[in-house]
Amino acid sequence: MNKKEHQKAFLKMVTYVKYIKRAAGIIAGFMIFAGMTQMLNAMFVDDSAEWNRVLWHDFYEDQGKIDHLYLGSSHVFRDVDPRILDQMSGAYHFNLSTGRQKLKSSYYLLREADRLNDLSHVYLEMYYDVNLEDDGEYVDYNRHWQNTDYMRLSFNKMAYIAAIKGPEQYINILLPFSRYRSCLGDWDYIREQIEEKRQEEYLNYGYRDGDAVSAGQGFREGTGVYKENQKFFEQRSVLSGYSMQGEPEKYCRMIIEYCQSREIPITLFVSPIYDLQLISTLAYDDYVEEVRTLADEYGVAFYDFNLAKEAYFSLENGEGFMDSGHLNKYGAEVFTPFLYEVVSGKETDNDKYFYASYKEKLEKTPPAIYGIYCFDVREDRRRWIASNRDSGMEYRIVVKPVEGGMYVLRDFDENKQFELPAEEEGLCVIEARMRSFPDETVQTMEISF
């Protein structure tokens, strides 16, 4: 090798060293940045009571084991007990469900589960209240970061982040501590966060929130009971004229088409909801029919367990509920085996379990009242009685104020609407009877207001 060739080789080596140093500097800078980000997250992010942190830890611990995947809102992680399903089927089930999970989230969570597991079946829960079109970008963003904070880095996670509305929010998604900028310099808050994250329960991914604990496999076991005096509901999702067109329908189709392209069977379903909430939607059957039409288009099964006949599934007096929308531990123990019986059978054999519509169910069940509801608890004093009769049932309304004596607000009348006195607190007593049997009380219910 002559002198000129030596010089070229030397210059090439110098260039390589320069590139190596530059690459090492970038890697070192990234590691320093990642370390600082992790430290700032530990100082500022308040997730000691965050369900999704525990859920995603359990999910990655179970990767490679999951056969049957359940996606959806809190109606899944409260209502469907995977341990019971495992015992009944011999397969491994997991609830990858999160609070108010939108179908956009369900799509990317499905892809994450399919990336790490050999899925045998997917079950998509279709709670109406999270499938409304365009209910606010902040809600959309807020619920997504509860997943993106804990998902491991992958192309799927980055695609999920890119699909979230509001690019201006990316800094808050990519750097979780930035959401807590108002706490900058609040040393009491920082000390509290650091102390919380040193606790054994936090370090071991335990979860306890009031009457709920994590039972593994994405199941949140609740012990609360929906008491009679709590049966007052503020309805915010009236379904008259409702349509899934737009983003909800788009992602529902994407989920179904993804499963079918991967030859993964998929079933759509709706978990049971207490009748007080369903009646106050005013047009629940419109939503059911829309989902049913979409399912029929793709040839997939759809089961709404709110239409289940009492002979096969019943939680009398709401005893299996912890609130208007979620089951407690007892309710899940009753519901999960029935769910398995239905989804594991042939769709053509399952018609016997269900009414054709919610309207038919109300008409064919014994006369009953379920509580009272309103549409704006702060600005409107009007209330409505939720019952399963549009006519023929009469209601007597008695008020028991905290201060003052009991009085009759309205005597027996078929009108379900009434107005509570302003600035009063106490009990509202509803007595119901059938007009054709005026001497027989159907039901009496005492509800706090």
Side-chain angles (χ1 to χ4, degrees):
M1 182 181 292
N2 58 37
K3 184 177 180 180
K4 191 173 183 178
E5 289 174 335
H6 274 294
Q7 288 176 337
K8 285 183 177 178
F10 178 75
L11 290 173
K12 185 180 287 187
M13 183 179 69
V14 170
T15 301
Y16 284 150
V17 170
K18 182 170 67 174
Y19 284 143
I20 291 170
K21 285 183 176 180
R22 185 177 297 173
I26 292 172
I27 293 171
F30 178 79
M31 292 178 66
I32 292 170
F33 177 76
M36 290 180 64
T37 298
Q38 188 172 3
M39 179 184 70
L40 290 170
N41 287 341
M43 291 170 61
F44 289 99
V45 176
D46 183 9
D47 66 354
S48 59
E50 179 56 61
W51 165 252
N52 291 31
R53 186 183 79 93
V54 177
L55 170 72
W56 281 104
H57 170 266
D58 291 350
F59 169 77
Y60 288 118
E61 286 286 300
D62 283 351
Q63 76 175 60
K65 296 169 53 179
I66 300 170
D67 301 308
H68 293 248
L69 180 74
Y70 282 78
L71 296 165
S73 69
S74 55
H75 293 81
V76 175
F77 68 61
R78 292 279 196 180
D79 299 359
V80 181
D81 190 337
R83 300 168 300 180
I84 296 175
L85 293 170
D86 290 355
Q87 293 172 0
M88 297 183 74
S89 68
Y92 195 80
H93 296 70
F94 196 94
N95 293 350
L96 192 53
S97 58
T98 55
R100 297 191 62 79
Q101 185 179 112
K102 292 180 176 291
L103 290 167
K104 179 189 290 183
S105 294
S106 300
Y107 173 70
Y108 288 102
L109 269 55
L110 165 63
R111 293 179 67 103
E112 186 73 357
D114 185 44
R115 184 174 72 88
L116 300 172
N117 300 276
D118 184 12
L119 299 179
S120 301
H121 205 120
V122 170
Y123 306 87
L124 178 64
E125 182 251 349
M126 299 291 294
Y127 176 43
Y128 73 88
D129 200 34
V130 296
N131 293 335
L132 299 176
E133 172 63 57
D134 192 24
D135 63 350
E137 288 191 0
Y138 175 73
V139 174
D140 181 52
Y141 148 73
N142 182 54
R143 293 293 174 177
H144 289 307
W145 62 250
Q146 291 178 331
N147 293 315
T148 58
D149 275 6
Y150 307 106
M151 291 175 69
R152 292 177 179 172
L153 184 63
S154 67
F155 287 114
N156 177 56
K157 175 177 177 175
M158 300 312 295
Y160 182 10
I161 291 172
I164 296 173
K165 290 180 180 178
E168 70 280 359
Q169 302 289 358
Y170 287 163
I171 186 68
N172 290 341
I173 296 170
L174 295 171
L175 302 175
F177 66 85
S178 67
R179 298 193 297 264
Y180 298 84
R181 57 180 68 91
S182 63
C183 298
L184 185 66
D186 187 343
W187 296 106
D188 289 336
Y189 173 83
I190 293 170
R191 278 192 292 271
E192 181 182 339
Q193 293 308 310
I194 294 173
E195 184 59 33
E196 285 284 352
K197 288 162 188 174
R198 289 174 174 171
Q199 300 299 315
E200 183 177 351
E201 186 169 65
Y202 183 90
L203 295 173
N204 293 329
Y205 292 91
Y207 180 86
R208 184 176 300 276
D209 181 22
D211 56 5
V213 295
S214 172
Q217 296 174 243
F219 181 55
R220 188 164 157 181
E221 189 175 87
T223 56
V225 177
Y226 194 29
K227 298 177 181 178
E228 180 177 290
N229 64 357
Q230 298 172 330
K231 292 176 180 177
F232 168 72
F233 184 73
E234 182 182 8
Q235 178 59 259
R236 300 177 183 179
S237 302
V238 176
L239 297 178
S240 301
Y242 168 73
S243 174
M244 275 186 67
Q245 292 178 0
E247 187 170 279
E249 181 182 340
K250 168 189 169 183
Y251 278 98
C252 189
R253 290 181 180 277
M254 288 172 65
I255 291 167
I256 296 171
E257 290 170 5
Y258 178 87
C259 287
Q260 292 184 334
S261 70
R262 303 279 292 168
E263 297 184 346
I264 305 171
I266 180 170
T267 299
L268 309 185
F269 75 103
V270 180
S271 283
I273 301 168
Y274 187 63
D275 291 290
L276 168 61
Q277 182 173 339
L278 290 181
I279 289 172
S280 62
T281 65
L282 304 185
Y284 183 66
D285 279 327
D286 291 352
Y287 175 73
V288 175
E289 189 56 35
E290 188 155 16
V291 179
R292 185 178 286 149
T293 299
L294 186 62
D296 289 345
E297 179 183 337
Y298 285 96
V300 301
F302 168 56
Y303 304 109
D304 188 338
F305 289 90
N306 294 297
L307 311 186
K309 294 179 178 178
E310 294 74 19
Y312 301 102
F313 171 69
S314 178
L315 294 171
E316 294 183 6
N317 302 318
E319 60 185 358
F321 288 87
M322 63 178 301
D323 54 38
S324 66
H326 305 92
L327 301 180
N328 55 27
K329 178 183 177 182
Y330 167 72
E333 289 173 350
V334 175
F335 172 60
T336 303
F338 179 58
L339 169 69
Y340 175 76
E341 183 177 352
V342 172
V343 299
S344 63
K346 293 183 179 179
E347 187 177 4
T348 53
D349 296 336
N350 288 334
D351 288 345
K352 64 183 180 182
Y353 296 124
F354 300 94
Y355 292 104
S357 67
Y358 188 60
K359 180 180 179 181
E360 181 188 6
K361 176 184 176 180
L362 294 179
E363 290 173 347
K364 292 191 175 181
T365 50
I369 56 175
Y370 306 104
I372 59 177
Y373 61 92
C374 72
F375 300 105
D376 190 336
V377 73
R378 297 163 193 83
E379 303 295 332
D380 192 345
R381 300 297 297 179
R382 289 180 300 170
R383 305 291 183 261
W384 284 261
I385 300 168
S387 75
N388 59 358
R389 292 294 182 272
D390 289 331
S391 62
M393 184 179 282
E394 299 179 321
Y395 314 94
R396 184 173 185 255
I397 303 167
V398 177
V399 175
K400 295 181 178 179
V402 173
E403 296 182 2
M406 178 179 67
Y407 61 92
V408 177
L409 184 65
R410 196 181 70 207
D411 211 342
F412 282 106
D413 188 286
E414 284 195 50
N415 186 8
K416 293 184 180 183
Q417 181 184 323
F418 64 99
E419 188 168 328
L420 284 172
E423 300 179 359
E424 273 195 12
E425 295 182 358
L427 290 175
C428 179
V429 183
I430 309 294
E431 299 176 33
R433 71 184 187 188
M434 298 303 294
R435 179 180 287 275
S436 53
F437 300 97
D439 296 329
E440 297 181 16
T441 301
V442 170
Q443 194 175 350
T444 300
M445 183 175 284
E446 293 189 350
I447 305 159
S448 299
F449 71 95

